Amino acid sequence: MDESSVKKAAEIILSAKSCIAFTGAGVSVESGIPPFRGENSLWNRYDPKVLDLNFFKASPEVSWPVIKEIFYDFFGLAKPNKAHKVLARMEQAGMLKCVVTQNIDNLHQDAGSKEVYEFHGNLQRIICTRCDYRVMAPDADFSKLPLMCPKCGGLLKPDFVFFGEQIPVEAYEKSVVAARQADVCLIVGSTGEVMPAAIIPSEAKRNKAVVIEINPDESHFTGNITDIHLKGKAGEVFSELEKFLF
Ligand code: APR
C-alpha cells in the first residue's frame, strides 16, 4: 500500500457526492473475528451446515451449541477496530452515506455508525421461529440449548441469515438504492464470493462509481470492478486514510 494511492483515494472520497462502504468479514479480523474463508477461517474449523436453515430446524440440538460457541462466546467479546471507528467518523463528518455490511457482529454500530444496512442480519437479536417473541442476546438464557421460546415453546433462532434463508428485504432495497446513488464505493474485506451481497459494489460500478478496495489479498472484485486497490489490513489502511481525510 503506497502513500500516493492512499492520498489519491482520500482525495476521491473528499470530493465524493455520495460515498458508501460495503464491508465483509475482513473488516472485523483485527477485532479478533476470523474470516469465513481463507486460512484460519471459520469454515475451516466448523461445518457450515450448522447454519443451513433446514438442518438447524431438524437438528437444533446440534446447531445451537456450535452457534453459541462461535457467535456468542467468541464473537461476543469482539470490539470495534480502527477501521470501524474511522468509518463511523467519516459518517459523522458527512463523508460517508452508509455502510452496507455482510457482517452480523454489530461492530459498525458499536463504533458509532448509524446508517448501517445489515445484509445478513445481526446476531444481537434472537427471534422465535413461530411467534413474534424476540430477545436481545445479552438477555437470553443460554444455559439450556437449544433455545426455546418462553412464550410459545417454538425454536429460537439468531436473527441473522442462514444458508437457504432470504435476505432481509428492507436491507436489500436500501443497499441497492444507496449503491445506485453512489459515486464512490469502498469495499472493505470481502471475497465477493457470496451472492446476492456481492452485487452491491457491482451496482455502484454500473452507475459509474469509483471503486476503492481495501483488502490484503485479491478478491472477486479486484481486476473486475476495483479502480484503486489499497492492499493492506483494514485497520492499518484506515489509519493512513484518516490522516488525509481529517
Ligand atoms: N483487513 C481487510 N480484509 C481482510 C483482512 C483484514 N485484516 N483479513 C482478511 N481480509 C479479507 C480476506 O482477504 C477476504 O477477502 O477479508 C475477506 C474475508 O472473506 P470472507 O470470509 O469470505 O468474508 P465475506 O466476503 O464477508 O463473506 C461473505 O459469507 O459465510 C458467509 O454470511 C457470511 O457474510 C459472510 C459471507
Side-chain angles (χ1 to χ4, degrees), residues 36-54:
F36 287 93
R37 294 166 194 84
E39 59 185 281
N40 185 31
S41 64
L42 283 169
W43 296 150
N44 284 351
R45 276 187 267 162
Y46 297 96
D47 186 341
K49 79 174 177 193
V50 293
L51 291 186
D52 175 276
L53 190 61
N54 293 327

Side-chain angles (χ1 to χ4, degrees), residues 101-112:
T101 189
Q102 298 173 91
N103 301 338
I104 58 176
D105 54 34
N106 206 63
L107 291 181
H108 286 299
Q109 293 92 328
D110 290 345

Side-chain angles (χ1 to χ4, degrees), residues 20-24 98-106 108-109 115-123 125 159-162 165-179 190 194-203:
I20 67 170
F22 173 82
T23 67
C98 67
V99 174
V100 177
T101 189
Q102 298 173 91
N103 301 338
I104 58 176
D105 54 34
N106 206 63
H108 286 299
Q109 293 92 328
E115 202 65 20
V116 180
Y117 303 147
E118 300 170 328
F119 217 82
H120 291 157
N122 188 317
L123 59 75
R125 298 181 297 271
D159 192 19
F160 58 73
V161 177
F162 279 39
E165 197 174 4
Q166 282 303 312
I167 299 297
V169 173
E170 189 185 352
Y172 181 89
E173 290 175 348
K174 284 183 173 178
S175 301
V176 170
V177 167
S190 178
V194 170
M195 286 294 179
I199 69 161
I200 295 304
S202 304
E203 273 303 300

Side-chain angles (χ1 to χ4, degrees), residues 128-133 149-155:
C128 180
T129 54
R130 215 158 64 181
C131 75
D132 61 356
Y133 176 81
C149 178
K151 206 172 149 190
C152 77
L155 178 62

Side-chain angles (χ1 to χ4, degrees), residues 33-88:
I33 293 183
F36 287 93
R37 294 166 194 84
E39 59 185 281
N40 185 31
S41 64
L42 283 169
W43 296 150
N44 284 351
R45 276 187 267 162
Y46 297 96
D47 186 341
K49 79 174 177 193
V50 293
L51 291 186
D52 175 276
L53 190 61
N54 293 327
F55 179 88
F56 171 77
K57 286 184 172 172
S59 315
E61 71 289 346
V62 174
S63 284
W64 253 114
V66 180
I67 288 170
K68 176 179 177 294
E69 182 183 326
I70 303 175
F71 298 106
Y72 296 100
D73 298 344
F74 186 26
F75 275 37
L77 306 172
K79 296 279 175 277
N81 66 56
K82 187 69 178 170
H84 298 105
K85 290 173 184 168
V86 174
L87 283 166

